[in-house]
Amino acid sequence: MSSWRDTTCGALRAADAGTRVTLAGWADTRRDHGGLVFVDLRDHTGKVQLVLNPELAPDAAATAHEIRNEFVLQAEGEVVLRAADAVNPNLPTGEVEVQVERLEIVSRSTPLPFQLDEENVEENLRLRYRWLDMRSDRMQRNLRLNHTAISAIRRTMDERGFVDVWTPSMTRGTPEGARDFLVPVRLQPGKFFALAQSPQLFKQLCMVGGLDRYYQIATCWRDEDLRADRQFEFRQLDLEMAFVDREDVLDVLEACVVAAFEAAGREPPARPFPRLSFAEAMLRYGSDKPDLRFGLEIEDATELTRGSEFGVFASAPCVRYLAAPRAFSRAELARLEEVAKEWGAKGLAYLVGDESGEVRSPIAKFLSERELEAMKPAPGTTVLFAAGDEELVARVLGGLRAHLGRELELADPALDAFHWVVDFPLFERDENTGGWTFMHHPFTAAVPGDEGRIESDSAHVLGQHYDLIWNGWELGSGSIRIHDVATQQAVFRVMGLAEEEQQSKFGFLLEALAMGAPPHGGFAMGIDRFVALLAGEPDIRQVIAFPKVSSGSDPLTGAPTPYPDEALRDLGIRLAQPPAQP
Ligand code: ASP
């Protein structure tokens, strides 16, 4: 193998008894029994027990007394069978141990800030000493799973004729809906590159360039608040295909997901993944990324409550409800009301069905028999209402549904619910300006037949945009793109981009589209999100080797850091105020 070792710690079995081995690794634990010393030696493949007997190997045994956790050791000796009562059935190497003849301390360790098997170590501390944390079973498993999934994806892309093309990280701002990270340029003070929010336009240009099928495990940068499923920088399986329809793109993604599941030794989800239109997702689940591992669908009561004596219902354009499988207490209802308010509701009307069959509710007295009959909660359930315009009602009930899913543990953790959401509106209202903005990005094509209405009926044009959802997490998005200049310009106009701005920001794209652009479409799937879910982890930091924490800094290197004034001067930058001290 190498001069340091001729086998690995996790490899030894009963059949190896009698062989001489040289091993190298970390001291996982040391048990000093006065005479005999036992050391569990660990490497990336597992652990094996070393035995140091002062009578057989006095020098090695003396050295062993110095060993502390995480020292690096090299040991040479004979593999021997353990006595029957000393066999460890929990360890793959548990039938054997190595009778050490020569032991060398290769490298020592200062006292550890935490033990590798310690539970609930504070995350900042883990990240500060990530090199130690990485030696834990959890991080070893996660980082290797990351590799397994990416390898399977790469194999799938290769088999299907995709070409891996590197695109620039430093570019012009790309409109993916987030803030850009800026890179000043010493050679051109006062000007900035943006770090690519995605390779979107480059991959489209690869299609105009005749590559036919592009892919990349692309790093993307977005200046957004960090969350469980978001980091400043993250990786995407980024792909683009020429001469395809939506179904061709979805087929490739499904194949990648299945290949990664299989490579990870997991039962893959059945294909094709269900498709849900955006309108249906909002109507039934109040979300464009519903968790379909549980039902709890939204019911409509708008017609039923038209002439209701309960004024809130009678006057609302839309009244809908959820029937939650629990008779909530007053205190629980107060908490749910807070959740509903966070999503924009003014209050929360409810009907609680007590176990006795009684209905508890301040609004029941206003409801007619017909209304009560139709919406009466079964014993042990609660009907929770939202009333208002359709968008608000969806938002509130969607938020409550997700909350109840978590609180009441409605999702079967053994299920993997993959699905597509398709047929999104092409545009949505920009909350700040009140004008139209894109739902996905401005390069998304309208569904066939809707192209002519892009400018005349912007509110109702559907886009060929699709999202992939796994257990309520959005794994990624894609679309069939616009491949003609006139349509692209129409979309820009709806977004309020005058000709001049179109040319200054996207002139190169318009030119490319005018020089023989094939129909094309693609997708980007968040690799870190995908692997985190595959690993059963609650956030993507657990599958990223060196992530940042929510304050936006890296506890390991201490970045970001201030730079001296001279360095900034070279870049043409002067700070308006000194950086805040950490
Ligand atoms: N560029 C898009 C994104 O990063 C994906 C795509 O449309 O292919 O979300």
Side-chain angles (χ1 to χ4, degrees):
M1 252 182 135
S2 81
S3 66
W4 287 100
R5 58 184 179 194
D6 53 24
T7 185
T8 52
C9 299
L12 300 176
R13 297 288 181 275
D16 297 305
T19 56
R20 289 189 62 78
V21 293
T22 304
L23 293 164
W26 285 264
D28 194 65
T29 48
R30 187 196 64 158
R31 293 177 302 283
D32 207 327
H33 289 191
L36 290 181
V37 180
F38 295 93
V39 176
D40 279 349
L41 191 70
R42 186 193 72 239
D43 66 12
H44 61 290
T45 63
K47 292 177 201 171
V48 68
Q49 177 162 286
L50 308 181
V51 194
L52 293 118
N53 184 333
E55 283 168 21
L56 301 176
D59 289 352
T63 306
H65 290 300
E66 286 178 48
I67 294 172
R68 297 290 174 272
N69 282 1
E70 299 307 307
F71 276 26
V72 178
L73 311 176
Q74 188 194 36
E76 202 182 320
E78 186 184 332
V79 181
V80 296
L81 289 175
R82 294 198 200 185
D85 61 350
V87 165
N88 180 350
N90 301 322
L91 209 61
T93 62
E95 284 183 283
V96 296
E97 57 197 8
V98 177
Q99 189 76 56
V100 177
E101 286 152 32
R102 190 181 65 77
L103 179 73
E104 195 186 320
I105 294 178
V106 177
S107 171
R108 290 167 190 264
S109 168
T110 50
L112 301 170
F114 54 87
Q115 298 300 322
L116 298 195
D117 58 358
E118 209 173 310
E119 301 220 340
N120 303 324
V121 180
E122 207 246 317
E123 195 177 11
N124 265 39
L125 193 65
R126 286 176 53 209
L127 292 176
R128 166 76 183 80
Y129 297 98
R130 191 61 146 182
W131 59 85
L132 280 183
D133 187 43
M134 256 187 203
R135 294 181 201 160
S136 67
D137 288 344
R138 178 184 187 183
M139 286 308 297
Q140 286 279 322
R141 193 180 55 238
N142 288 354
L143 293 177
R144 285 169 201 285
L145 180 65
N146 215 313
H147 168 78
T148 303
I150 289 180
S151 305
I153 288 170
R154 285 196 185 279
R155 274 196 301 279
T156 308
M157 300 310 277
D158 204 33
E159 279 160 20
R160 290 175 176 241
F162 283 81
V163 183
D164 184 342
V165 181
W166 184 46
T167 56
S169 315
M170 291 161 63
T171 178
R172 284 186 84 106
T174 29
E176 294 282 0
R179 280 199 188 83
D180 288 326
F181 277 104
L182 302 182
V183 183
V185 189
R186 180 182 49 83
L187 295 179
Q188 299 186 48
K191 291 188 181 167
F192 299 86
F193 283 105
L195 291 180
Q197 287 192 34
S198 85
Q200 183 61 35
L201 291 178
F202 292 109
K203 66 177 173 176
Q204 290 192 234
L205 296 181
C206 285
M207 296 304 101
V208 183
L211 270 173
D212 203 71
R213 289 182 170 209
Y214 144 97
Y215 94 105
Q216 195 179 178
I217 306 292
T219 304
C220 304
W221 292 265
R222 296 184 190 178
D223 186 357
E224 297 177 299
D225 290 344
L226 288 83
R227 291 195 316 219
D229 61 354
R230 260 197 213 153
Q231 285 271 304
F232 287 156
E233 43 187 333
F234 57 92
R235 288 173 310 164
Q236 294 188 156
L237 162 64
D238 195 51
L239 62 92
E240 197 71 14
M241 306 162 77
F243 302 110
V244 288
D245 297 316
R246 180 183 84 190
E247 290 302 313
D248 302 302
V249 181
L250 304 196
D251 179 62
V252 173
L253 266 301
E254 291 189 2
C256 285
V257 167
V258 166
F261 263 71
E262 282 171 350
R266 290 264 303 268
E267 178 71 29
R271 296 183 59 189
F273 303 164
R275 277 107 168 110
L276 201 65
S277 74
F278 171 82
E280 205 184 338
M282 296 308 286
L283 183 69
R284 291 170 58 191
Y285 305 104
S287 164
D288 59 359
K289 45 175 185 296
D291 186 342
L292 297 192
R293 287 174 301 170
F294 58 95
L296 193 60
E297 289 195 24
I298 296 171
E299 311 279 346
D300 192 73
T302 311
E303 283 313 310
L304 183 68
T305 54
R306 252 339 39 174
S308 182
E309 302 220 341
F310 185 48
V312 176
F313 285 177
S315 61
C318 177
V319 180
R320 293 188 182 144
Y321 64 90
L322 288 171
R326 182 179 163 88
F328 290 114
S329 67
R330 256 171 210 279
E332 287 169 328
L333 286 163
R335 267 205 307 279
L336 289 175
E337 181 163 19
E338 287 311 307
V339 175
K341 283 182 175 168
E342 278 167 30
W343 291 99
K346 292 209 183 71
L348 182 64
Y350 57 82
L351 303 170
V352 180
D354 274 340
E355 298 296 348
S356 61
E358 286 295 296
V359 173
R360 248 192 308 126
S361 164
I363 66 161
K365 57 178 176 286
F366 300 112
L367 300 181
S368 67
E369 236 169 70
R370 194 172 74 94
E371 286 172 301
L372 265 180
E373 193 50 42
M375 302 186 293
K376 189 170 179 206
T381 70
T382 305
V383 168
L384 301 166
F385 292 96
D389 68 44
E390 203 172 343
E391 218 174 291
L392 175 89
V393 167
R395 204 163 59 227
V396 171
L397 294 181
L400 278 172
R401 180 180 179 273
H403 176 84
L404 292 171
R406 278 190 304 274
E407 290 286 301
L408 305 182
E409 296 181 355
L410 299 180
D412 175 352
L415 279 183
D416 286 304
F418 279 86
H419 66 97
W420 295 101
V421 176
V422 301
D423 294 338
F424 282 76
L426 193 56
F427 301 107
E428 62 181 343
R429 285 285 177 199
D430 183 325
E431 280 176 21
N432 300 322
T433 65
W436 290 113
T437 183
F438 50 85
M439 188 91 177
H440 180 40
H441 51 50
F443 319 111
T444 300
V447 298
D450 273 12
E451 302 93 337
R453 300 192 295 147
I454 287 177
E455 287 181 279
S456 57
D457 189 14
S458 310
H460 298 111
V461 182
L462 293 182
Q464 295 198 62
H465 158 195
Y466 28 82
D467 278 3
L468 177 58
I469 316 297
W470 179 7
N471 295 352
W473 280 38
E474 184 193 317
L475 285 183
S477 304
S479 58
I480 297 298
R481 326 296 185 188
I482 297 165
H483 68 278
D484 71 284
V485 180
T487 312
Q488 186 61 73
Q489 290 203 290
V491 167
F492 285 151
R493 277 195 297 274
V494 173
M495 288 167 44
L497 259 64
E499 179 73 25
E500 208 176 307
E501 198 178 352
Q502 294 180 22
Q503 292 301 339
S504 73
K505 285 192 172 153
F506 301 111
F508 64 98
L509 173 70
L510 295 172
E511 270 183 306
L513 293 182
M515 291 187 196
H520 59 286
F523 198 82
M525 178 172 87
I527 293 281
D528 313 295
R529 287 184 187 182
F530 180 66
V531 176
L533 282 169
L534 201 58
E537 289 288 359
D539 63 73
I540 62 175
R541 295 186 301 281
Q542 311 309 326
V543 298
I544 296 175
F546 302 106
K548 294 177 183 51
V549 291
S550 55
S551 60
S553 49
D554 168 13
L556 193 153
T557 62
T561 56
Y563 265 72
D565 287 345
E566 309 85 79
L568 297 182
R569 203 175 314 124
D570 281 351
L571 297 167
I573 292 176
R574 199 169 54 225
L575 295 182
Q577 55 193 33
Q581 293 303 316

